[in-house]
Amino acid sequence: MTNHKRFWKRERAAYRVLIVICAAVLVVAIIGVYFADKSDEEYVAVSEEDPNRIENGIHLRTGLVEAEGLMETVTNCTSCHSAKLLTQNRLSKEGWVSAIRWMQETQNLWDLGDNEEIIVNYLAKNYPPESKGRRENIKKINWYELQ
Ligand code: HEC
């Protein structure tokens, strides 16, 4: 073999290696695009969180206590104002009924039908007037001398 022929043979081998590498890169890229598309589809399928999730006995969206009548109260009493108006107004059964009557007469609150008793019972039981809204005064204090 002459030097000239040997040179061209080596050159062709180098080209072949180059073409194989290019083909491999292309295959990897195509596979990558294929799988990237797949994972996009999975993201679309993720569902929203439950708006009525309850954790540690508290309805997270409104902060109301989980008990019988919770969902009736959430549905009827938190669409116009925050549930804080319920939790901050601790009332007796009569007090809750008169608050409802006042809203029905002046604020366009609808007739609650059978749900009124369920809601009033829920509120009077879980947000009654005698419950302490604040912590008690501290009774035992250990004073100490500042050095
Ligand atoms: C149609 C709208 C609407 C709905 C529904 C509604 N309220 Fe009200 N409520 C109001 C308005 C308006 C006020 C006055 C808000 C203010 O003073 O800023 C109010 C005030 C209150 C107050 C405070 C009253 C006071 O004397 O300060 C309480 C307690 C209350 N609502 C409880 C409830 C309960 C319990 C329900 C469910 C049965 C309910 N609300 C549903 C409109 C509504």
Side-chain angles (χ1 to χ4, degrees), residues 20-84:
V20 167
I21 289 173
C22 284
V25 168
L26 202 68
V27 166
V28 168
I30 288 169
I31 289 173
V33 166
Y34 178 75
F35 279 106
D37 275 356
K38 280 264 156 140
S39 61
D40 274 354
E41 280 165 27
E42 279 164 21
Y43 280 126
V44 172
V46 169
S47 66
E48 280 179 42
E49 278 185 342
D50 179 9
N52 288 319
R53 244 173 343 133
I54 290 170
E55 259 173 43
N56 300 323
I58 299 290
H59 183 256
L60 289 185
R61 181 162 54 87
T62 59
L64 291 174
V65 174
E66 180 190 19
E68 203 187 325
L70 167 68
M71 284 325 293
E72 287 84 352
T73 308
V74 167
T75 309
N76 288 288
C77 304
T78 62
S79 47
C80 296
H81 49 67
S82 143
K84 286 212 173 81

Side-chain angles (χ1 to χ4, degrees), residues 56-127:
N56 300 323
I58 299 290
H59 183 256
L60 289 185
R61 181 162 54 87
T62 59
L64 291 174
V65 174
E66 180 190 19
E68 203 187 325
L70 167 68
M71 284 325 293
E72 287 84 352
T73 308
V74 167
T75 309
N76 288 288
C77 304
T78 62
S79 47
C80 296
H81 49 67
S82 143
K84 286 212 173 81
L85 267 185
L86 312 187
T87 56
Q88 287 169 353
N89 278 277
R90 297 179 154 272
L91 301 168
S92 62
K93 260 190 180 187
E94 296 70 40
W96 287 113
V97 171
S98 76
I100 289 171
R101 291 289 169 274
W102 173 79
M103 280 178 286
Q104 284 170 332
E105 280 157 22
T106 62
Q107 309 297 339
N108 288 328
L109 174 60
W110 46 86
D111 181 11
L112 295 167
D114 293 341
N115 282 334
E116 180 172 311
E117 203 188 335
I118 297 171
I119 292 168
V120 168
N121 283 339
Y122 168 85
L123 291 168
K125 193 170 166 204
N126 296 289
Y127 301 100

